[in-house]
Amino acid sequence: MLKFIIRRLILSIPVLLGVSILSFLIISAAPGNFLDVFRLDPSISRETVQRLEREFGFDKDPFTQYLTWLFQVVKGNWGYSFQFKQPVFNLIWQRLGATLLLSLTTLVFSWAIGIPLGIYAALKQYSFKDQLSSVIAFLGLSIPSFFFSLLFLYFASRTRLFPIGGMLSVNSSQMNTWELIVDYLWHVIGPAVTLGFSGLAGIMRQMRGQFLDQLHMDYVEFAKAKGMPRKVVFYKHALRNAINPLITIFGYSLSGLLGGAVLTETVFGWPGMGRLVIQALTAQDLYLVMASLMVSSLMLIIGNLAADILLALVDPRIRYRFH
Amino acid sequence: MKKAFSVLLVLCFLLGIVFAGIVPSENLQYIVEDVHGKVGGTLYYYSISDPKTFNPAFAQETSSTDITGIMWDSLVDFGKNDDIRGGNLALDWEVTPEGNGWTFTIRKGLQWSDGHPLTAEDVYWTFKNIWFVPENCLSTYDVITDAQGRPPQIEKLDENRVKIWYREPYAVGLRQIGGVQVFPKHIVEPVLAAGKWKEFWTLADVNKLVGSGPMLVSEYLPDQRVVLKRNPYYFRVDPAGNRLPYFDTLIFISVPNLNTAQLKFEAGELDYLAPQAAQYPNLKAQAAAKKWDVGICGPTYSTLFLAFNQHSPTKEQQYWFRNKKFRNALSCAIDRETMIEVIYNGLAQPQWGPVSPASPFYDPAVEDLAATFDIAKSRAILKEAGFTWNAEGKLIDDRGIQVKFLLTTNAGNNQRETACNLMVDTFGQIGIDVIFNPIDFNTLVGALTATGNWETMVMGLTGGPDPHSGSNVNRIDGDLHFWNIHPDVGTWADPDNYWISNEEWQIDRIFRDQVREMDEEARWQMFADYQRLFVEEAPLVYTVQALRLYAKKAELKGTDPGSSSSPPILWNLWGLYRE
């Protein structure tokens, strides 16, 4: 297993290199650069723009720029943000926590509700409750999460039951730990529910379908006929077989932890990476964009790896062997 | 200038009273402001994008400068319309005998927020080592140098006086020198010596901020909030002897967009909102019930104009675009009233000339030259210029070529896109086929400044109270004289096919001469001529100008919103209070 993991990690290096070359070239091919706003400012002289061009390295060709960047990255220097004059990783670190918190809360929300609801719906197939949960699931799948977020914000502003965006209250610096946790939970309900709803619906439908498939298998019939208690048949045998595809989905959802919430973050004013990255993209803050792209690619690789490992743990038929 | 002096005289008189009565122990030369408020409390403001840095030398966009402007003061104080209000760090100043500079007397007894004395040495050091060195600031060097790009000279006369002068009289010098901030030498000198100035006072350096303004940042949480606390050493007081500002705390709450800001304002979480025209009617309707003040600050310094590329890549267009009558005819075919209704909900006004009505240099005479929407008049001007119409009603020039062109603007800017669509419609009414093709902002900048590959476009540039800020646009060899770029500046202009009209020469002349004209009246007259010439020549056809709007809680007092480029109610942060 360890060998497998190491091998996967080594293979990820060329992938990351490829991603970085492609991203860098695409960004360079886009018209203009960070200094365009300066060029249209009547108070800034051409000499100043030229001086800044030299300072930021825009006078070199994209390939030289890329090699310089890569060389620095290997040395551990990910560059400075043009806008913030700070090392890019400081900026990403500051916001990584908020994004991970939201994504993990959402993950817990959608899985903790989606899986049991799927099982319940499968066991009560074609009952009114099953139909009802299907209707809710289709609603969840069909409403875009940003639109749902807007509806939620409107609801919050009309009823005052929930805060209007943000992660913590303005006076959070005077709170103790418990108050902070309560304040956070109060703020996170909106983004987590709106973001997790479609995921929840998908998971629930998947779980229901997979479980029903297994329930109609011969071995289930056989176990029932043999007189095995229903609980054991359903939860020990059928469920274990039904859950496999969901583990794969879980792995992929790990990779979406960092980038999956950009729209929701923007609507709710969540202080995460999404807003930083969008701002960096519009301002063409090259190295900040590159660093965030690399972090997201790394998360994708790690997420896939985690899914494969989890599968191996759950399904005794799967063994990774490399000789 | 006279006004500034009389204000100063009154202030000095008040100072005398204060010195006699309230603060005899200290020798600080206070500014006494005529405000009567209540001490304490928190002001809740908002920001749509976070500051990028707290270092004023490298701050560029308003999200940063709005905050650095609060933390560091400059020599001269600017009012609600960016007008010169009087002295700030400077007690007063006098023009040097040669008329090319100023001797500033710095207030006695000033202190930095860490208690260290603020003296003429800090002023001298800041100018000498930060603002006069292009590498140590982003663009302020461009701001304070004269029209030929030469920086002024500075000399420290004694503990309280510095003299700053240019090689020759420079009319906008006071505004420019007086507007840049002064830094604490005892903090910045070691940083500069260590070569760390560029990375100093970043957002991570909240605990290193030492300033002279009414408040300083005490906490910064990315995309959540910026908290400012009052500077206990600030040098303004009210007549009752309270040290200003009244508020203890100012919080900028980070919001993703103006709509969320409105929701927060309606929920009472914010004290102030600068709404857009679309939000205004709704807020106004609720104002009485919710105890808000909702109103109009006045015109802004922003502009929205139609430009014609006189070096258009399509050769036959150059012939039309260089024709002043053609441009004037198109100006008459712009339906500004509809634009105001459609784009700004009626909360805008037509703009005729290059200077905003908010500026003290605005000459109302341009309104007499107004090209009101009149298709018949537009057609008459075109006919007079030799244009005719073919059988299909399309406009053709005197060589028989049908008039058609591309109109562009930056995609995603709804106001500009709507303006373009309205123009396509009304220009169609005079027989011109206009194809509207919005493009990405960066591509647009490239077209304007590097390739010259555009035909007509709707754009805006931000001006200021002094038309001199548009020098780079109005001078014929200016980098932003984009409609008729000089062949030395833009490679796409053919030197053998370069032509400058008489009016453009005169405008160029005015912009070269006005910087040496120290007499305000004479300078006003020069700019009045400039505005008349510009409207007649119409190299850029101005359209409409948005009005700046405000909404605030009625309990927030002391506000005096204006057209200032800083947040409209924060220019006098020291005088705001909650009732």
Side-chain angles (χ1 to χ4, degrees):
Chain A
M1 188 62 130
L2 192 67
K3 253 188 185 170
F4 166 75
I5 294 174
I6 292 172
R7 199 188 146 95
R8 283 281 294 261
L9 287 178
I10 292 175
L11 276 175
S12 71
I13 293 174
V15 174
L16 286 175
L17 261 181
V19 169
S20 70
I21 293 179
L22 266 180
S23 323
F24 207 99
L25 290 184
I26 290 172
I27 298 171
S28 305
N33 59 35
F34 176 68
L35 295 175
D36 281 350
V37 187
F38 293 61
R39 279 180 244 272
L40 266 201
D41 187 334
S43 71
I44 296 179
S45 72
R46 204 167 3 144
E47 288 75 26
T48 302
V49 174
Q50 283 163 353
R51 177 171 60 76
L52 291 170
E53 266 181 345
R54 281 193 301 277
E55 199 180 306
F56 293 154
F58 292 149
D59 51 342
K60 310 257 182 6
D61 63 285
F63 197 66
T64 320
Q65 283 183 50
Y66 174 74
L67 284 181
T68 322
W69 175 79
L70 191 65
F71 189 66
Q72 291 296 324
V73 166
V74 171
K75 287 202 308 190
N77 172 16
W78 284 76
Y80 273 64
S81 155
F82 299 145
Q83 309 171 72
F84 293 88
K85 313 273 171 212
Q86 273 180 288
V88 287
F89 259 91
N90 291 9
L91 296 166
I92 291 180
W93 271 126
Q94 279 175 353
R95 290 159 173 86
L96 199 64
T99 296
L100 278 178
L101 257 179
L102 173 61
S103 316
L104 288 175
T105 316
T106 310
L107 205 69
V108 170
F109 165 76
S110 49
W111 286 81
I113 296 181
I115 296 279
L117 206 61
I119 296 170
Y120 180 79
L123 290 177
K124 307 265 169 182
Q125 199 187 2
Y126 303 139
S127 70
F128 173 72
K129 284 168 186 163
D130 177 34
Q131 308 282 15
L132 183 74
S133 65
S134 295
V135 169
I136 294 175
F138 286 131
L139 263 180
L141 283 172
S142 53
I143 300 181
S145 70
F146 78 92
F147 180 67
F148 195 22
S149 315
L150 288 173
L151 284 182
F152 190 95
L153 268 190
Y154 184 75
F155 171 74
S157 78
R158 287 292 146 222
T159 61
R160 306 277 168 83
L161 287 177
F162 295 101
I164 301 155
M167 184 168 80
L168 292 169
S169 296
V170 200
N171 55 344
S172 65
S173 43
Q174 286 114 44
M175 290 182 183
N176 63 35
T177 317
W178 283 112
E179 285 171 333
L180 269 180
I181 292 174
V182 171
D183 192 49
Y184 168 75
L185 287 176
W186 186 50
H187 278 81
V188 86
I189 289 173
V193 165
T194 53
L195 188 63
F197 195 31
S198 70
L200 184 156
I203 291 160
M204 187 224 128
R205 292 299 297 174
Q206 278 279 352
M207 189 66 230
R208 179 181 177 275
Q210 294 291 337
F211 200 33
L212 279 176
D213 276 357
Q214 295 296 329
L215 289 182
H216 295 139
M217 290 275 188
D218 290 346
Y219 74 89
V220 173
E221 293 295 324
F222 175 68
K224 276 193 208 163
K226 231 177 76 177
M228 199 182 260
R230 285 172 68 87
K231 268 192 177 162
V232 179
V233 179
F234 291 158
Y235 297 120
K236 188 157 183 216
H237 297 287
L239 187 60
R240 255 191 109 162
N241 285 318
I243 207 109
N244 266 3
L246 281 130
I247 300 283
T248 317
I249 299 180
F250 183 75
Y252 283 117
S253 65
L254 281 186
S255 60
L257 278 184
L258 287 187
V262 174
L263 284 176
T264 311
E265 280 186 3
T266 310
V267 175
F268 277 99
W270 193 263
M273 266 176 70
R275 285 173 71 192
L276 178 77
V277 172
I278 286 187
Q279 234 177 54
L281 273 173
T282 45
Q284 297 196 322
D285 196 341
L286 181 62
Y287 301 122
L288 191 50
V289 175
M290 283 305 293
S292 67
L293 281 175
M294 298 315 289
V295 169
S296 298
S297 321
L298 199 68
M299 281 303 285
L300 189 72
I301 289 170
I302 292 174
N304 283 345
L305 183 60
D308 290 346
I309 294 170
L310 276 176
L311 266 184
L313 291 178
V314 169
D315 191 339
R317 287 169 302 183
I318 299 175
R319 284 286 170 271
Y320 297 110
R321 285 212 188 81
F322 295 93
H323 298 292
Chain B
M1 183 61 85
K2 260 185 198 160
K3 204 175 160 191
F5 269 120
S6 52
V7 170
L8 265 172
L9 270 176
V10 174
L11 284 179
C12 290
F13 178 69
L14 284 171
L15 273 174
I17 300 173
V18 171
F19 266 61
I22 300 155
V23 275
S25 55
E26 292 181 52
N27 66 345
L28 168 59
Q29 292 176 318
Y30 285 101
I31 297 182
V32 182
E33 297 286 355
D34 186 24
V35 285
H36 309 269
K38 269 166 54 180
V39 179
T42 302
L43 173 62
Y44 294 97
Y45 215 85
Y46 67 98
S47 63
I48 297 208
S49 65
D50 263 23
K52 304 292 178 288
T53 173
F54 292 135
N55 188 333
F58 299 103
Q60 174 65 19
E61 18 63 79
T62 51
S63 56
S64 307
T65 54
D66 286 352
I67 289 172
T68 59
I70 296 172
M71 294 198 280
W72 286 276
D73 267 331
S74 52
L75 291 172
V76 173
D77 189 25
F78 294 90
K80 67 170 182 176
N81 291 329
D82 283 328
D83 47 314
I84 293 181
R85 237 183 125 239
N88 214 23
L89 295 178
L91 181 68
D92 60 12
W93 56 86
E94 53 189 60
V95 180
T96 55
E98 300 81 25
N100 61 346
W102 300 265
T103 303
F104 294 93
T105 307
I106 312 300
R107 275 170 211 285
K108 281 191 186 129
L110 290 174
Q111 281 167 293
W112 292 104
S113 57
D114 61 353
H116 205 275
L118 191 170
T119 65
E121 178 62 24
D122 291 300
V123 178
Y124 173 77
W125 187 88
T126 304
F127 275 94
K128 195 86 188 162
N129 295 287
I130 307 288
W131 303 130
F132 290 176
V133 184
E135 288 75 26
N136 285 345
C137 50
L138 194 67
S139 63
T140 313
Y141 181 81
D142 292 340
V143 172
I144 59 167
T145 49
D146 67 10
Q148 279 81 42
R150 300 168 302 194
Q153 310 257 325
I154 186 164
E155 188 185 340
K156 188 179 149 196
L157 301 178
D158 55 44
E159 271 314 302
N160 294 93
R161 291 188 306 150
V162 288
K163 183 179 148 190
I164 304 179
W165 73 96
Y166 288 92
R167 295 213 193 157
E168 49 193 85
Y170 189 44
V172 282
L174 180 63
R175 174 172 281 279
Q176 301 188 340
I177 289 169
V180 298
Q181 289 147 313
V182 174
F183 300 133
K185 181 189 174 190
H186 67 285
I187 302 284
V188 180
E189 192 174 34
V191 175
L192 192 65
K196 299 273 183 210
W197 171 236
K198 265 180 201 164
E199 293 93 49
F200 192 58
W201 284 339
T202 62
L203 301 180
D205 287 344
V206 167
N207 52 355
K208 294 180 191 152
L209 298 168
V210 173
S212 55
M215 287 194 176
L216 281 119
V217 173
S218 69
E219 186 190 13
Y220 165 67
L221 288 173
D223 287 329
Q224 293 186 59
R225 59 179 178 264
V226 183
V227 181
L228 289 93
K229 294 272 182 210
R230 70 196 299 264
N231 170 7
Y233 297 101
Y234 194 55
F235 55 91
R236 283 185 156 83
V237 295
D238 72 1
N242 294 313
R243 218 160 174 159
L244 299 175
Y246 289 121
F247 277 114
D248 289 330
T249 314
L250 163 63
I251 302 184
F252 284 89
I253 296 172
S254 179
V255 293
N257 52 52
L258 211 49
N259 294 325
T260 312
Q262 186 185 349
L263 289 179
K264 278 188 177 287
F265 177 74
E266 289 180 358
E269 293 176 37
L270 298 173
D271 289 318
Y272 170 84
L273 179 75
Q276 283 193 331
Q279 299 171 308
Y280 187 83
N282 179 6
L283 290 166
K284 186 84 186 165
Q286 299 179 63
K290 297 256 182 102
K291 295 203 173 65
W292 296 334
D293 290 341
V294 178
I296 297 169
C297 308
T300 59
Y301 289 119
S302 70
T303 56
L304 190 72
F305 53 73
L306 169 67
F308 305 89
N309 186 1
Q310 301 189 22
H311 295 280
S312 168
T314 316
K315 291 278 181 287
E316 62 263 25
Q317 291 180 350
Q318 298 179 3
Y319 178 67
W320 315 321
F321 293 165
R322 288 177 186 193
N323 188 337
K324 159 174 155 182
K325 284 187 174 152
F326 178 79
R327 297 191 300 262
N328 273 303
L330 261 61
S331 182
C332 286
I334 294 175
D335 188 354
R336 295 177 175 83
E337 291 304 324
T338 305
M339 271 187 194
I340 290 169
E341 284 310 315
V342 173
I343 307 175
Y344 296 105
N345 254 345
L347 295 160
Q349 55 191 39
Q351 189 183 11
W352 307 112
V355 175
S356 164
S359 162
F361 289 95
Y362 176 68
D363 181 6
V366 293
E367 288 158 29
D368 303 336
L369 303 168
T372 41
F373 181 54
D374 187 344
I375 293 291
K377 188 177 164 200
S378 174
R379 282 176 172 263
I381 300 174
L382 285 170
K383 204 167 190 175
E384 193 187 311
F387 290 86
T388 46
W389 286 267
N390 65 14
E392 290 97 56
K394 301 291 179 199
L395 188 70
I396 49 175
D397 70 5
D398 52 8
R399 301 168 302 178
I401 300 169
Q402 192 195 330
V403 177
K404 53 182 174 186
F405 51 79
L406 285 173
L407 174 64
T408 189
T409 192
N410 52 319
N413 185 321
N414 289 337
Q415 301 177 337
R416 290 181 191 171
E417 286 182 1
T418 313
C420 286
N421 282 320
L422 290 171
M423 285 184 201
V424 171
D425 181 46
T426 53
F427 291 169
Q429 292 177 32
I430 51 171
I432 301 177
D433 279 345
V434 183
I435 301 162
F436 176 41
N437 173 35
I439 55 176
D440 173 66
F441 177 73
N442 300 94
T443 315
L444 191 84
V445 176
L448 272 183
T449 60
T451 63
N453 188 11
W454 59 285
E455 297 179 358
T456 63
M457 77 165 66
V458 166
M459 268 291 292
L461 292 173
T462 302
D466 194 308
H468 174 76
S469 63
S471 261
N472 211 357
V473 181
N474 285 290
R475 280 172 50 175
I476 54 178
D477 60 350
D479 290 331
L480 285 176
H481 195 80
F482 49 85
W483 62 86
N484 187 9
I485 199 93
H486 194 278
D488 290 349
V489 181
T491 47
W492 65 93
D494 178 6
D496 301 327
N497 186 16
Y498 179 67
W499 178 79
I500 282 287
S501 71
N502 191 25
E503 285 86 351
E504 284 216 62
W505 273 116
Q506 289 181 53
I507 290 172
D508 182 73
R509 199 69 260 159
I510 289 174
F511 270 86
R512 280 172 205 281
D513 293 342
Q514 55 84 16
V515 291
R516 280 187 291 273
E517 181 56 66
M518 298 300 275
D519 181 54
E520 286 284 302
E521 297 263 320
R523 212 164 152 255
W524 192 92
Q525 193 50 53
M526 291 172 99
F527 281 130
D529 291 343
Y530 153 63
Q531 291 169 62
R532 180 182 48 79
L533 284 165
F534 202 97
V535 178
E536 283 170 6
E537 169 71 9
L540 303 179
V541 172
Y542 285 89
T543 59
V544 295
Q545 183 163 51
L547 294 169
R548 182 176 249 171
L549 312 167
Y550 72 90
K552 69 171 186 69
K553 285 187 188 167
E555 65 191 42
L556 177 66
K557 297 282 181 190
T559 54
D560 186 8
S563 306
S564 151
S565 45
S566 61
I569 67 160
L570 290 188
W571 72 271
N572 64 341
L573 172 62
W574 37 261
L576 307 183
Y577 61 96
R578 191 184 304 280
E579 204 162 50

